[in-house]
Amino acid sequence: MADPRVTKLAKVMVHYSLQLKPGQQVLLQTTPLADELSLAFIEEAVKAGAQVFTLNAIPGASEISLKHSSDEQLDFVSPVRKLIYETFEARMVIEADSNTRELAGVDPKRIARFRKANAGLFKIFSDRIAKGDMHWFLTVYPTEAMAQEANMSLSDYREFVFGAGMLNEDDPVAFWKNEAEKQKKLADWLKGRKEAILKGANIDLSLSIEGRTFIPCAGDQNFPDGEIFTSPVEDSVNGWVRFKYPAIFDGQEIEDIELWLENGRIVKEKAGKNQELLTAQLNSDEGARYLGEWGIGTNYGITPFTQKMLFDEKIGGKMHPAGGLGFPEAGGKNESGLHWDMLCDMTDSEVKIDGDIFYKNGKIAIQ
């Protein structure tokens, strides 16, 4: 028997997150392993009057393409994808991995080249989201590979995924609307502030947020959700940060990353494992060495580290600076084909905003 939470999630995606209207075009980007959720989404979207176009990726296809393409093929920008990003009103992504390390054997420089070539599409996409011309939504459908990555059985991982999205609630939309109000209070407190100082065992950074907006996230773009984020002033970030949690990039793991920044730019990087991949991605284009995001996790209901950033970046007590593309809706101006979240443990740290304590030892400190 179908899990009723799958149907519930499809309704949340269509009516709350994407808010699909009759006649709107929506891209469904997924894999065959998510058929249960994909079909539920298609049914709900069609009933809402939307036009659904599906890209159902074949497991292993990306590895083949990136390994065997010529430079000319890597530089090719799909006119079909460009048309979708320019004209569709919504993009729905359901991740369902059959192998989370599919690209582990691909030369990092080839991945970086492909991302650089597609940076223009990334900008079209982010600009239309900022203007409200396009909605997008990302979630996962539990698979064996993703459960193994999280060190869980499939049944336990499935319960974790649906529980994190509050799908066991009678009315998950009501829950997320309430969370949105809580996050709005934080964003309102931060409005008009200028400088942030972050200090702790893993971080010693200063950055400007002057003129920038903090965006509350409560199930309207990611599911599960629970964060606020902004784009720091591009040339303002100075200091050092260490990421104790592994960073996963296209299926490859980088451990014990340290970054040093001067006037916004990452001038030095170090990793305990996979240094070549770290450097290759930061060199993918000029904007990749600047921070495009400063995100703060607010979901204290998510506790285990799962090696899936959709969940991990939301964990209360963690923050996630991201190298690369900034968010226009937050005031970000940095352009890049990269946007790479990295997770920093803040459980023994302090954040001061214009001299006032905003965050201490993993908790919001304001009333």
Side-chain angles (χ1 to χ4, degrees):
M1 187 175 77
D3 192 319
R5 294 172 297 183
V6 171
T7 303
K8 191 182 291 187
L9 177 53
K11 292 180 182 295
V12 170
M13 292 189 295
V14 169
H15 301 292
Y16 171 67
S17 304
L18 294 176
Q19 300 179 35
L20 292 179
K21 304 293 189 298
Q24 289 188 332
Q25 297 183 89
V26 56
L27 168 68
L28 171 58
Q29 195 171 331
T30 186
T31 82
L33 294 182
D35 280 355
E36 181 186 20
L37 179 54
S38 296
L39 291 172
F41 172 80
I42 291 170
E43 179 176 348
E44 200 64 32
V46 169
K47 287 178 178 177
Q51 302 289 349
V52 183
F53 178 75
T54 302
L55 287 178
N56 211 343
I58 302 170
S62 292
E63 178 190 11
I64 292 170
S65 179
L66 287 166
K67 275 186 175 179
H68 301 295
S69 289
S70 64
D71 287 349
E72 183 180 8
Q73 288 172 307
L74 289 174
D75 292 340
F76 177 74
V77 177
S78 166
V80 175
R81 195 175 294 273
K82 184 172 185 289
L83 179 66
I84 289 171
Y85 283 6
E86 287 178 337
T87 61
F88 277 41
E89 286 83 11
R91 178 188 177 203
M92 176 71 236
V93 180
I94 303 173
E95 293 187 350
D97 299 327
S98 60
N99 181 355
T100 60
R101 305 305 171 97
E102 179 182 324
L103 302 184
V106 178
D107 183 347
K109 293 179 181 178
R110 296 178 68 79
I111 298 174
R113 182 166 187 147
F114 174 80
R115 288 188 176 275
K116 182 178 181 179
N118 283 272
L121 292 188
F122 207 0
K123 187 174 189 308
I124 292 170
F125 176 60
S126 60
D127 284 349
R128 290 193 68 218
I129 289 172
K131 293 175 183 176
D133 295 336
M134 188 179 200
H135 287 86
W136 89 290
F137 188 73
L138 169 66
T139 192
V140 303
Y141 182 81
T143 67
E144 291 280 8
M146 296 157 76
Q148 289 172 339
E149 196 75 25
N151 198 30
M152 299 182 194
S153 69
L154 179 58
S155 60
D156 284 348
Y157 186 66
R158 190 177 179 93
E159 291 303 312
F160 164 75
V161 169
F162 292 149
M166 301 301 162
L167 294 171
N168 294 320
E169 299 280 327
D170 291 336
D171 188 350
V173 170
F175 173 88
W176 288 110
K177 284 182 176 179
N178 185 55
E179 285 299 301
E181 287 300 314
K182 293 179 182 178
Q183 292 174 4
K184 184 177 182 300
K185 291 179 181 178
L186 298 180
D188 288 344
W189 188 91
L190 290 160
K191 188 175 182 179
R193 305 275 178 161
K194 295 181 179 180
E195 184 184 45
I197 306 292
L198 299 79
K199 287 187 177 293
N202 300 302
I203 197 164
D204 186 1
L205 283 181
S206 63
L207 56 91
S208 173
I209 53 174
E210 186 171 5
R212 300 302 163 97
T213 300
F214 277 82
I215 310 296
C217 300
D220 53 342
Q221 290 189 349
N222 287 180
F223 208 83
D225 218 333
E227 67 168 296
I228 59 172
F229 71 86
T230 193
S231 292
V233 174
E234 285 70 25
D235 61 357
S236 72
V237 189
N238 287 282
W240 163 87
V241 58
R242 178 189 178 198
F243 303 96
K244 291 171 61 178
Y245 293 97
I248 311 299
F249 190 89
D250 280 342
Q252 302 188 55
E253 187 172 295
I254 308 174
E255 294 181 357
D256 201 17
I257 295 174
E258 294 182 73
L259 303 177
W260 288 262
L261 296 98
E262 294 178 4
N263 300 321
R265 191 173 192 274
I266 299 168
V267 295
K268 179 183 175 183
E269 68 276 359
K270 179 183 175 183
K273 174 186 175 183
N274 231 338
Q275 170 95 32
E276 181 184 1
L277 174 59
L278 173 63
T279 299
Q281 300 316 308
L282 294 177
N283 287 340
S284 59
D285 54 46
E286 180 58 28
R289 284 190 173 268
Y290 289 81
L291 295 190
E293 179 186 5
W294 173 34
I296 302 168
T298 62
N299 191 331
Y300 291 87
I302 300 176
T303 53
F305 176 68
T306 65
Q307 302 202 89
K308 190 70 175 175
M309 191 55 75
L310 174 65
F311 298 96
D312 298 337
E313 69 177 5
K314 312 301 192 306
I315 299 174
K318 309 294 183 282
M319 293 187 181
H320 53 281
L325 183 73
F327 296 105
E329 64 267 38
K333 299 178 175 61
N334 196 43
E335 296 183 7
S336 176
L338 181 77
H339 183 86
W340 188 5
D341 295 299
M342 301 181 192
L343 196 66
C344 183
D345 185 5
M346 299 291 289
T347 52
D348 57 358
S349 304
E350 181 178 271
V351 178
K352 287 186 176 180
I353 308 289
D354 293 346
D356 297 326
I357 296 179
F358 169 72
Y359 190 97
K360 189 174 181 65
N361 296 335
K363 300 285 186 180
I364 301 294
I366 63 171
Q367 298 299 319

